[in-house]
Amino acid sequence: MQENIIIRGAREHNLKNVSVTLPRNKMIVFTGLSGSGKSSLAFDTIFAEGQRRYVESLSAYARQFLGQMSKPDVDEIEGLSPAICIDQKAHSANPRSTVATITEIYDYLRVLYARIGRPHCPSCDKPIRKMTAEEMVDLIAKEAAEAAAKLGPTPPEDAELLILAPLARGRKGEYHQQLYDLYNNGFSTVRVNGRLRSLRTRLVLDRNMRHTIELVVDRFAVKTIAAGGAELRARIAEAVEIALKHGNGLVQAVHSDGEERLLSSEFSCADCGFSFPEIEPRLFSFNSPYGACPACHGLGVKDFFSTDLCEACGGARLRKESQFVRVGGKSIVEFAALDIGHAAEFIVGLGLTERETEISEVILKEIRGRLRFLNDVGLHYVTLNRTAGTLSGGEAQRIRLASQIGSKLVGALYVLDEPTIGLHQRDNERLLATLKELRDAGNTIVVVEHDEDTILEADYLVDFGPGAGKHGGEIVAAGTLAEVLKNPKSLTALYLTGKRSIPTPAVRHTKNRDSIKILGAAENNLRHVDVEVPLRRFVCVTGVSGSGKSTLVNEILYNELSNRLNHTQYQVGKHRKILGLEYLDRVALVDQSPIGRTPRSNPATYTGAFTHIRELFAATEEARLRGYRPGRFSFNVPGGRCENCEGNGTLAIEMHFLPTVYVTCDVCRGRRFDRETLEVKFRGKNIHEVLAMTVEEADKFFEDIPFIHDKFGVLNRVGLGYLELGQAATTLSGGEAQRIKLGFELSKRSAGRTLYLFDEPTTGLHYEDIRRLLEVLHELVERGNSVVVIEHNLDVIKTADHIIDLGPEGGDGGGRIVATGTPEEVAKYGDSHTAKYLKRTLKL
């Protein structure tokens, strides 16, 4: 097999005829400024071509369902392996998709419970055991002998062994015809409600009473039992066979000492007669009608649009019987409710019998391996039943990586998009060890990453630049880490060598004493903590993954303040009280959620600039002559848009079981508007050409129009000058969406007294981008506002005026305030994982 992947003439998006040779079976890191071309080469060229070649290798029959995949704009790629993309948009919003199903842990659990699960009666919770006729004979003979021995050499005259066939258990009726038929078939005695009755006399039963009726199949005197032997066993075997036939799979043995034993050839309760369904893997599947709760069809909630738990299953998703099969004392529902850390501990200490261990050895190996990996990448706090739609991009990516580790592929090409997002430095080391394990198995790993630890561990480094957008698209440096560090053109190398750095503030804001006080925060894993958040400062909330940061900032602080200041109706996390609202006029959450969920939303529409742009076009002489109003220049309403694609510029083609493919509209050729609308121009450009401008170009184009220039100027400042005004929201990363929101907030006229909350704003940012972002965030504080940031990046944390460090661990081990104060003060705390790395960064 070829030793290298050779790319020649890549021109996708802003790539400028790039050629590069990448070593196979190595961990390769692509780094560089945001918008410099990293993802264009990694995902839109290398992965896209690998996927296209896979589809082309399929049969003509399969390809007719997949369609024709377009070739990336590249001259040639040699040595390409089958490619697997693990990005941050891969998790499903399907409510049936959970962490356990994504990682295939649940598939193995279903088999485990079907093979060694111990069923219990849903009515009385007693164990149920399925027995063969031979096992019944052995047990009855053994217990009969023991009972006879207890009675000694002179047993009572009436001491005997009865073998009965249960006909009815606690049911109303006369049973006249059934009893008559039994008499005609040669049976002489029944036991009715505990009393032996002869069938030779007419039995009159009250039809309104509940009766337990058992047919006496055979009676054995104690002396016969004591004699034992082959004849006794043969007679018991014959009685059991007859009893099973008439008792619907049940046999009742009444011993000479008065003890009774109900045996079943099916999964039926010996005490209350509850009949269990066949125990197989689909019994534990909430996607199968056989196992799903019939009331909610396996959703766990009342319907797709409700958050109220299903009353029948209580959110368990499964039918009642499924929840009464246990392994290690837990049902599959209870197992799935465990977080990954506790699940790993539980699966190790199951205490199985030798036979159970032999049956489940292969299954348990797969489950343990996946749980170990999830633990190793810092996801110990995530529960197995957590739905995919609630995962962050970084969590979803690492969970998908777990499923790939389990697949044990060799010779594949993995393309990852910033897998360290959401990870504390403590957990980075374990993630990198996992990536190396994947590499050492014989795979090639391409990682788009800015994290310093990942860059330093790379076998091969490719640095893109020198700028972003049209100023990027080139490979500035490529080679081993040592080779790249020597390259004076590499901006990344300048930061890695310390020739450029993000400065630590000489003076921190500490004078203002106003603060928000959160008292008794107890949502999720928070342990009734009291937290003081200083205002008019830059505050960082830190801690390992799952320590409670997002719960504190988003679910409690933001939701409560938004409800009281912005008049929203969010559900607020548990807490006792929040004090200090009189110091604020407004609260804004600047998170990484999309700025829109359809391709129609874009930076121009989100910032409101597109409204002003349409008004400018409507005010031109040509538009006035034609009678065009601003709506003519909107692609969202009929009138001026291309009706073939309804203003989308693309046509959606359903691909059956593959994602939908979008092709350029063959009428407007992607320009979104009809010919007449495009004939109207403002300063020599039509509406499509304006939307095709980058933010940087638009900033200059509209520099004399303040209400447009202000909005694009701020986006330029936060490092988004490379984005096109009309770029679809669905193509933006979480970090880009977050910075667009930040730019929108900055463009507003603010009198201060606003609290801004950010969740990892450095996602997707290079050192240089972080430097520019910090200038903007600190400017917000200078204006009299307050900024609270959830962050792991040490370059951001070291510039904070105040740190609130949660932990010390994640999940049950977190939820406490470990340290608070300036970075220098927090760095002195020995129990803080953040302090350990912060001390090194501050060089204390």
Side-chain angles (χ1 to χ4, degrees), residues 416-431:
L416 287 82
D417 187 10
E418 292 196 80
T420 63
I421 286 175
L423 274 188
H424 191 274
Q425 283 75 15
R426 194 276 306 266
D427 300 316
N428 271 4
E429 297 169 6
R430 294 189 293 185
L431 172 64

Side-chain angles (χ1 to χ4, degrees), residues 179-200:
L179 294 173
Y180 181 74
D181 291 342
L182 289 171
Y183 176 69
N184 287 336
N185 286 328
F187 294 102
S188 61
T189 311
V190 291
R191 190 169 74 159
V192 180
N193 301 328
R195 287 180 56 203
L196 293 175
R197 307 283 294 273
S198 173
L199 288 173
R200 293 187 178 89

Side-chain angles (χ1 to χ4, degrees), residues 302-337:
K302 290 183 177 179
D303 55 59
F304 272 108
F305 308 102
S306 173
T307 56
D308 297 331
L309 295 180
C310 168
E311 294 177 359
C313 67
R317 299 171 172 241
L318 297 172
R319 61 191 282 185
K320 188 177 181 181
E321 295 89 340
S322 309
Q323 303 175 54
F324 280 84
V325 180
R326 297 173 187 145
V327 172
K330 288 188 184 295
S331 69
I332 196 167
V333 174
E334 292 168 329
F335 187 102

Side-chain angles (χ1 to χ4, degrees), residues 116 299 304 345 394 489 495:
I116 66 168
L299 286 174
F304 272 108
E345 293 174 5
K489 296 180 181 179
Y495 277 96

Side-chain angles (χ1 to χ4, degrees), residues 17 196-197 315 325 333 337 352 359 421 426 461 510 603 609-610 641 712 776 802 811 837:
N17 210 39
L196 293 175
R197 307 283 294 273
V325 180
V333 174
L352 303 178
I359 293 170
I421 286 175
R426 194 276 306 266
L461 191 60
T510 56
F610 194 48
R641 70 184 185 183
F712 294 148
V776 174
H802 187 83
Y837 296 94

